[in-house]
Amino acid sequence: AQSVTQLGSHVSVSEGALVLLRCNYSSSVPPYLFWYVQYPNQGLQLLLKYTSAATLVKGINGFEAEFKKSETSFHLTKPSAHMSDAAEYFCAVTPAGTASKLTFGTGTRLQVTL
Amino acid sequence: NAGVTQTPKFRVLKTGQSMTLLCAQDMNHEYMYWYRQDPGMGLRLIHYSVGEGTTAKGEVPDGYNVSRLKKQNFLLGLESAAPSQTSVYFCASSLPGQGFPGANVLTFGAGSRLTVL
């Protein structure tokens, strides 16, 4: 079985500040890891994914995440927050090489202030 | 380029009524899923399908039934709605397999908001 834990249900940053959203995973087999973003009243969109290639993964809109096996983490970062980044972010995990039955975290709502 | 389309977008039901949510995808994806989203609980998988004519239970299947008679459609049914089924429902689809850019990536619909009174 696999699971993800997202620390902090709400994160607030100033525009231009570093964004750091935390995700820790638990998996008995090598995982595939994902970050999805949900804007208000919309479905989820893929930001980036880790599928056992490079451990530093770059996604859309300037986001990136680093897979750290020793820490069982897959934190999402962006050097400089923009107002348009305000949304809810979900980390998700699935066992590598299996059907895409993702297990999602509970989400982190990012607020960006002036 | 429609992607994943869910109907209806909004519905209000009374306890005990039945209804069906329809999901349609035009990407020729093999896999389809129904999730529910509740505040503070993220997305939880209700049922999924790995191909036409197949369905399987997810994490929270009780009170729901599904059918995948055609590859492009995945129906979610509530036979006797309960207030606990008030939620936002998301359909998603994906390609199977691994080792190529689209593998394991879910494409989501815009959601269907269901309220059961």
Side-chain angles (χ1 to χ4, degrees), chain B:
Chain B
N1 187 4
V4 177
T5 303
Q6 294 181 227
T7 53
K9 289 183 169 50
F10 301 93
R11 184 75 186 269
V12 178
L13 289 177
K14 294 181 180 178
T15 298
Q17 287 184 318
S18 64
M19 75 158 296
T20 300
L21 298 177
L22 171 63
C23 177
Q25 53 96 3
D26 62 1
M27 298 169 289
N28 203 34
H29 284 173
E30 285 293 332
Y31 293 177
M32 295 187 75
Y33 316 80
W34 276 107
Y35 284 89
R36 60 178 288 174
Q37 183 180 27
D38 302 290
M41 304 190 74
L43 278 79
R44 293 178 293 169
L45 182 64
I46 305 170
H47 286 280
Y48 66 101
S49 167
V50 298
E52 182 178 316
T54 73
T55 63
K57 294 180 180 180
E59 182 185 353
V60 289
D62 293 344
Y64 304 95
N65 55 75
V66 288
S67 64
R68 183 100 182 267
L69 298 180
K70 294 182 179 180
K71 185 178 182 178
Q72 64 268 32
N73 295 337
F74 194 30
L75 278 64
L76 177 71
L78 286 71
E79 290 186 349
S80 179
S84 61
Q85 294 177 303
T86 293
S87 187
V88 181
Y89 292 86
F90 286 98
C91 177
S93 68
S94 75
L95 293 167
Q98 56 180 318
F100 61 95
N104 302 101
V105 175
L106 271 63
T107 300
F108 282 84
S112 297
R113 184 175 295 275
L114 174 65
T115 301
V116 183
L117 302 175

